[in-house]
């Protein structure tokens, strides 16, 4: 049975309660992206993972999420958006319990993979259901802005919440906190959310599902390995495999009557520009967030709670600007708003260049807050573009595309910018692979400690400049293309 879209000229109160329920999975999935930024030292002490296992503990969540978002968005359109939302919540809750009780790194990696699968089921369905809850464009735009605010704000608040929990409890608490939220979602969703499935769905092409995953995973692996170790036969082979699979995937989508990924969406200028701008913004933001977590703890010497609290201004700004983003766009126009947002992101990152090994608290707060205002607006634009660019029965698939672009870009940002900063740090002296290891081995030697911190900050500054360059180049390209289109 398919319920009709809820809402009329003015959205009923039940729709807003439904939106409140949808914010629960969005917040959980977003927090999971960054909640371990402060948690790895605790996990290292408890589980003693290898260097390779540490990387997979962090990365496997984003890999599984990015590889399955498009598929799960399409699947939700076909079998029911509320149904796949509830199934995803169940997977996410069980995986959270498994992660919190993991006795070794292998079990933790497995649990993080299932968290990614659960999130891939939750995110597209939650965004697509907004189209069913709100039929009028004004209410829908407000709802999308709130959805984006919780997604972007949740990712920004992940380190804050994780750091606060780690200060009081053991490392498993950052996963166990998900369980009561999931239980509330499972109880409330059947009463407040409508079910919706596409009335005349085409078959879900399993070959396309496999091709997409086989393209995404090798390409991310190749990017990470190239940034960390340079180009070698293994990296080249993975890149060629990913590109070949991607080419096969694109060719297949062009031939299918009901493709897994509707490439025609990218011919819509607003959608394409929003995806491009938000993707580059996500790359810059994830690199900034990852590196500044290390900066606060290992350079400024903050404990985990103080380091977490310093992230509150940025998280609050991201949340507020995401809520206001759609309204700003309606007043200034999409192109001007996106350029303004990219400019704020670039400016905030440039302010961070004033940080040093000896001081920089004020510069960090100021720079991250300015950048956060730009990132929030960007992410609200890509979500609004995804929902408004397609008919209601394709909203899940479009949401999957937009979220995939953000997740892939976030993973690439951490991989490339984080690896670049680490490589430059190691070249700064006879240091251990990471700054925290170097400080432990320094045994209180002030000269080594200051030299290592200075080397890390130098690497962070260069990586930040690379991110700024990508943001500025994207802004220039959008401005030029828009000018040409207007002629």
């Amino acid at each position: 049975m398919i319920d009709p879209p809820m809402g009329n000229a003015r959205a009923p109160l039940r729709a807003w309660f439904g939106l409140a329920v949808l914010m629960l999975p969005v917040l959980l999935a977003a927090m999971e992206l960054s909640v371990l930024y402060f948690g790895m030292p605790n996990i290292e002490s408890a589980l003693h993972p290898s260097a390779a296992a540490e990387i997979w503990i962090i990365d496997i969540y984003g890999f599984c999420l990015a590889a399955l978002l498009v598929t799960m968005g399409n699947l939700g359109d076909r079998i029911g958006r509320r149904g796949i939302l509830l199934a995803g919540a169940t997977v996410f809750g069980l995986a959270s319990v498994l992660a919190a009780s993991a006795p070794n790194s292998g079990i933790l990696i497995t649990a993080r993979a299932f968290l990614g699968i659960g999130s891939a089921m939750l995110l597209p369905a939650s965004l697509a259901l907004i189209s069913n809850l709100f039929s009028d464009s004004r209410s829908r735009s407000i709802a999308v802005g709130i959805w984006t605010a919780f997604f972007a704000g949740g990712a920004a608040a992940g380190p804050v919440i994780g750091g606060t929990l780690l200060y009081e409890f053991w490392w498993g608490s950052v996963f166990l906190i998900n369980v009561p939220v999931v239980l509330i979602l499972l109880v409330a969703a059947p009463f407040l959310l409508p079910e919706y499935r596409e009335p005349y769905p085409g078959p879900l092409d399993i070959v396309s599902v496999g091709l997409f995953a086989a393209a995404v995973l090798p390409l991310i692996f190749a990017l990470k390995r190239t940034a960390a170790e340079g180009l070698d036969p293994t990296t080249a082979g993975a890149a060629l495999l990913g590109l070949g699979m991607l080419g096969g995937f694109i060719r297949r989508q062009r031939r299918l009557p009901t493709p897994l990924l509707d490439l025609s969406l990218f011919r819509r200028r607003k959608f394409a520009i929003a995806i491009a701008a938000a993707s580059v913004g996500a790359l810059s933001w994830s690199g900034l967030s990852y590196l500044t977590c290390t900066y606060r703890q290992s350079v400024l010497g903050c404990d985990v709670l103080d380091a977490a609290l310093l992230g509150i201004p940025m998280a609050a700004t991201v949340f507020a600007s995401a809520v206001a983003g759609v309204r700003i766009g309606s007043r200034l126009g999409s192109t001007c708003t996106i350029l303004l947002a990219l400019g704020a992101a670039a400016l905030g990152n440039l302010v961070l260049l004033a940080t040093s090994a000896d001081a920089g608290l004020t510069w960090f707060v100021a720079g991250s807050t300015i950048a956060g205002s730009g990132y929030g607006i960007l992410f609200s634009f890509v979500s609004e573009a995804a929902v408004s660019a397609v008919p209601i029965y394709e909203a899940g698939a479009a949401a999957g595309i937009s979220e995939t672009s953000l997740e892939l870009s976030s993973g690439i940002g951490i991989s490339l910018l984080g690896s670049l900063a680490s490589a430059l740090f190691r070249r700064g002296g006879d240091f251990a692979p990471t700054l925290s290891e170097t400080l432990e081995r320094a045994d209180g030697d002030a000269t080594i400690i200051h030299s290592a911190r200075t080397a890390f900050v130098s690497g962070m500054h260069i990586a930040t400049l690379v991110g700024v360059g990508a943001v500025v180049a994207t802004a220039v390209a959008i401005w030029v293309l828009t000018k040409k289109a207007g002629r």
Side-chain angles (χ1 to χ4, degrees), residues 25 84-94 118 121-122 182 185-186:
I84 202 167
L85 183 83
L86 294 174
T90 302
V91 172
F92 195 93
L94 293 174
M121 301 166 77
L122 291 168
V182 167
L185 172 63
L186 290 173

Side-chain angles (χ1 to χ4, degrees), residues 245-266:
M245 292 294 179
L246 181 61
F249 174 79
I250 291 173
R251 287 193 297 272
R252 188 171 181 84
Q253 302 318 292
R254 289 173 173 169
R255 296 198 307 267
L256 291 174
T258 54
L260 181 69
L261 179 63
D262 185 0
L263 298 177
S264 67
L265 284 174
F266 293 95

Side-chain angles (χ1 to χ4, degrees), residues 179-226:
V179 176
V181 182
V182 167
L183 291 176
I184 294 172
L185 172 63
L186 290 173
V187 171
F191 298 99
L192 293 172
L193 299 178
E195 180 58 289
Y196 179 87
R197 63 183 64 92
E198 189 175 341
Y200 306 105
L204 181 66
D205 187 54
I206 302 300
V207 175
S208 293
V209 172
L211 283 173
F212 188 76
V216 169
L217 297 178
L219 286 173
I220 294 179
F221 172 80
L223 284 168
K224 286 179 63 64
R225 189 177 175 90
T226 300

Side-chain angles (χ1 to χ4, degrees), residues 269 272-278 280 334-336 338-339 342 378 471-485:
R269 190 166 64 91
I273 287 177
I275 290 287
V280 174
S334 59
T335 300
C336 288
I338 287 177
L339 293 178
L342 289 172
L378 283 176
V471 170
V472 172
T474 302
V476 171
I478 290 173
W479 183 77
V480 171
L481 291 173
T482 303
K483 285 290 185 182
K484 288 183 177 179

Side-chain angles (χ1 to χ4, degrees), residues 21 40 43 82 92 94 182 223 230 235 271 282 331 347 358 361 390-391 422-423 431:
V21 172
M40 283 311 299
I43 292 174
R82 186 179 66 189
F92 195 93
L94 293 174
V182 167
L223 284 168
T235 303
F271 183 83
R331 294 182 178 180
L347 177 61
D358 301 308
L361 178 59
V390 297
S422 296
F431 302 136

Side-chain angles (χ1 to χ4, degrees), residues 8-9 134-144 326 384 387-388:
N8 41 44
F134 301 94
S135 59
D136 63 295
S137 59
R138 183 176 180 275
S139 296
R140 186 171 59 245
S141 295
I142 294 172
V144 169
V326 175
E384 197 275 336
V387 171
S388 63

Side-chain angles (χ1 to χ4, degrees), residues 37 46 81 122 135 148 229 241-242 276 284 358-359 366 407-408:
Y37 283 178
R81 293 170 184 169
L122 291 168
S135 59
T148 308
E229 302 180 20
L241 174 63
S284 168
D358 301 308
E407 300 308 327
L408 284 175

